[in-house]
Amino acid sequence: MDTTDAVAPTLDIIVRPARDVDAESLGRVHAKCWHETYDHLISTAALERVSPLRLAELWTHWTKQGDEYHQHVALVDGEIVGFVGSGPARDEDAPRERELYYLYLLSAFHGTGIGQQLFDAACGDRQGYLWVADDNPRAHAFYKRNGLKRDGAQQVQPFLGEELLEVRLVR
């Protein structure tokens, strides 16, 4: 068969608001995403302490927050593969009223457009800001395509008992 005629399989993608019944799946996906995202920034020992069960417990709480929080999940063939959350700014010197708290997608789904769908669900074309690991070139490229730029602010955040240098991006 001539592979030039082959059609790439289409993914059955759904992006919808996160629900409390998603907590267990979100805990597993969250833990895996942290391993995939931070393995070059945080020690293996620290990442091994990540508990999908503990993250699921946190998600049970997070999915019950008020309407000012926008939390969505991306499902492929009915399985959660990523998630996003935004809400009111948390910083005293916040450059915008809204903050993107997190956007994680399993690495197997990078480059599929799912990350963009998640971003759009949480942020749309509104102004906002986020903190991102300084050493995360893939994320920086993604956010740059979405109109976010460094504003010069940076912080060292405790993360899993270690420290992570983050920079602020603003749109």
Side-chain angles (χ1 to χ4, degrees), residues 91 99 131-132 152-157 164-168:
D91 298 314
E99 180 179 357
W131 291 96
V132 62
Q154 64 182 33
Q155 63 185 6
V156 175
Q157 277 292 337
L164 189 64
L165 177 61
E166 295 180 329
V167 295
R168 188 165 61 192

Side-chain angles (χ1 to χ4, degrees), residues 5 11 16 37 60 65 70 92 97-98 121 125 133 142 146 150 167 169:
D5 294 331
L11 300 173
R16 63 159 172 77
T37 302
T60 299
Q65 295 185 66
H70 300 266
E92 286 185 27
E97 292 181 13
R98 303 265 324 153
D125 60 359
F142 174 82
N146 281 282
R150 289 180 187 233
V167 295
L169 306 181

Side-chain angles (χ1 to χ4, degrees), residues 134-168:
D134 186 42
D135 185 10
N136 190 340
R138 182 177 192 87
H140 284 271
F142 174 82
Y143 293 124
K144 182 178 180 181
R145 284 193 309 274
N146 281 282
L148 288 111
K149 297 177 183 167
R150 289 180 187 233
D151 74 347
Q154 64 182 33
Q155 63 185 6
V156 175
Q157 277 292 337
F159 186 76
L160 301 176
E162 298 184 14
E163 292 183 338
L164 189 64
L165 177 61
E166 295 180 329
V167 295
R168 188 165 61 192

Side-chain angles (χ1 to χ4, degrees), residues 5-36:
D5 294 331
V7 177
T10 58
L11 300 173
D12 180 22
I13 303 166
I14 295 172
V15 174
R16 63 159 172 77
R19 304 174 187 149
D20 57 351
V21 296
D22 297 328
E24 185 178 335
S25 292
L26 279 165
R28 283 193 308 276
V29 172
H30 198 155
K32 186 169 184 181
C33 285
W34 273 5
H35 281 273
E36 293 174 347

